[in-house]
Amino acid sequence: MRRVVGAVVGLALGSSALAQGAPVACRGQPGVPAWAGPGVFWGTLGGGPVALRLGPGDDGERARYFYERRGVNITLVPTHQRETLLLREEVWTLSGTEVTGCLRLERAGTGLRGSWTSPDGKRTLPVTLAPLDVTRLPLNLPDSPGLRKLRASDPLAFLKLNRAWVKEAGGASVRESLSGIRYPRLPGGSAALDAALQDRQLVHAANALDCRARLAGAGEEAYVLSAEVTFRSPRLLSVFESAGYFCGGAHPDGFDVGLILDRATGREVPVTAIWPGLTPMRLRTLYLTRSGADGECREVLADPDLKLTAHLTPGGLALTPTSLPHVVTACADTVTLPFASLGDRANPQGTYFRDLYPR
């Protein structure tokens, strides 16, 4: 985590607020018109393609839209004037929330029609939207549980990410172009493993786009991911992820995730499937014993609620703290437990024993 957080600090110093303007009237009665039910819509704003989502509830929860050419959500605050739906664009900048436009929409058959007006009222563009059943759209990526889950839970993110990704380094890495997120692959690996790695990349790509939506002017530097294969054997693949982000707020932040995957099924392999006795409590004890931390760090790491993430390396089982407060993340050093030191805890009859303890 500490390797990448520094890459996003400059965003806090280099971003500038959007031009101030006197917003046009875009406030009505609380809630939405009776006809404005939840749904996803696709159409044009000023001739450019856009997608819009109205969430459930009278307040139009999770109302937002994006321009296809940018792929970044813009928050919409709904109100209404009689049968007209008003959607006020709001973006967050380092100097506060700003209104960037107003959508005035009427029901037009099953769709929506109206206009978008700039904050100063000097520019107005036509808006035409038709309902879109995202569940009927084809999958443009290999089918995976995460892709189907994203289509159901976050249709706007699905619309952005459900497109061909770019293979790099002979297929050893894949780049999602809109977010810029790269993630490793195992050329020649099973379809199930490829789906599992794709689903991890989907999570980070959606996170990156959501981060950029939270802070006006943020680019790829707002969410930076380092993901690398740290171990491979006939039955196992291990990946270590380190993400750093700044999406607004007081300071940048980050997190680490270790993965141990079954190469045939793509499923995560718990540490106890290899070493049955290594419960979370026992791992915390071993981590603290080998960490060499002292002073404030040792006090923080001795917390009985400390959470650790695990991944495999050629040198052994690596443990990294994941639950430390931001002010003490410098204490989150990775500690590696050599395989030899864990040999008496391993299950000789286990599926993965020979991968780590060959004869």
Side-chain angles (χ1 to χ4, degrees):
M1 179 171 63
R2 293 173 299 282
R3 294 192 301 274
V4 293
V5 169
V8 299
V9 174
L11 181 63
L13 302 176
S15 294
S16 59
L18 298 180
Q20 295 284 345
V24 297
C26 199
R27 297 180 184 275
Q29 297 298 313
V32 299
W35 57 262
V40 178
F41 299 85
W42 181 267
T44 59
L45 189 160
V50 296
L52 181 147
R53 183 187 187 191
L54 291 176
D58 291 340
D59 61 353
E61 180 186 1
R62 292 188 61 80
R64 58 202 70 229
Y65 82 122
F66 71 88
Y67 293 82
E68 187 181 57
R69 62 184 173 81
R70 293 190 61 233
V72 176
N73 285 351
I74 299 174
T75 298
L76 299 171
V77 180
T79 56
H80 72 285
Q81 293 176 350
R82 296 185 179 180
E83 294 302 302
T84 299
L85 173 64
L86 304 180
L87 297 172
R88 187 173 68 253
E89 286 185 10
E90 289 188 355
V91 301
W92 193 90
T93 74
L94 294 176
S95 60
T97 300
E98 294 188 16
V99 176
T100 57
C102 180
L103 290 160
R104 301 177 64 90
L105 301 173
E106 308 277 354
R107 180 168 52 176
T110 59
L112 305 171
R113 184 173 299 166
S115 62
W116 173 92
T117 305
S118 62
D120 58 10
K122 294 180 179 180
R123 190 181 183 206
T124 298
L125 300 171
V127 179
T128 303
L129 300 166
L132 177 65
D133 185 354
V134 178
T135 64
R136 298 177 67 88
L137 294 178
L139 301 180
N140 296 321
L141 292 169
D143 196 353
S144 69
L147 187 60
R148 290 182 176 271
K149 180 180 179 181
L150 186 68
R151 181 165 63 177
S153 64
D154 193 343
L156 293 192
F158 174 82
L159 289 173
K160 300 170 196 173
L161 299 174
N162 179 42
R163 59 191 72 193
W165 295 354
V166 181
K167 291 184 178 180
E168 300 176 333
S173 178
V174 173
R175 182 177 189 269
E176 194 290 305
S177 299
L178 196 57
S179 65
I181 294 295
R182 288 180 170 85
Y183 206 88
R185 294 291 191 276
L186 187 64
S190 69
L193 177 62
D194 193 63
L197 297 174
Q198 175 181 281
D199 284 350
R200 288 302 304 168
Q201 189 167 5
L202 274 170
V203 169
H204 288 289
N207 284 349
L209 294 177
D210 185 59
C211 183
R212 284 156 63 175
R214 294 171 184 269
L215 181 61
E220 290 186 9
E221 71 276 14
Y223 187 102
V224 180
L225 173 71
S226 170
E228 61 177 320
V229 172
T230 59
F231 182 88
R232 69 180 69 185
S233 67
R235 297 175 183 83
L236 292 169
L237 184 81
S238 195
V239 177
F240 185 65
E241 305 172 351
S242 189
Y245 58 90
F246 180 77
C247 315
H251 48 69
D253 212 335
F255 60 92
D256 299 323
V257 175
L259 298 170
I260 305 173
L261 303 174
D262 184 298
R263 286 182 56 168
T265 66
R267 297 194 185 107
E268 288 196 45
V269 177
V271 170
T272 51
I274 305 172
W275 299 280
L278 291 187
T279 63
M281 181 181 298
R282 183 57 184 161
L283 286 174
R284 285 195 295 270
T285 300
L286 291 173
Y287 177 89
L288 191 62
T289 299
R290 291 181 174 269
S291 70
D294 55 17
E296 182 182 4
C297 280
R298 188 164 189 84
E299 181 179 342
V300 169
L301 296 172
D303 186 335
D305 294 324
L306 177 72
K307 292 181 174 57
L308 299 167
T309 189
H311 67 283
L312 302 176
T313 73
L317 177 66
L319 304 174
T320 306
T322 62
S323 58
L324 299 185
H326 173 77
V327 294
V328 290
T329 52
C331 299
D333 289 329
T334 296
V335 167
T336 300
L337 309 177
F339 291 139
S341 70
L342 302 174
D344 60 344
R345 303 174 186 275
N347 176 13
Q349 308 304 318
T351 303
Y352 311 106
F353 182 80
R354 293 302 173 196
D355 286 51
L356 305 178
Y357 302 99
R359 294 178 181 176

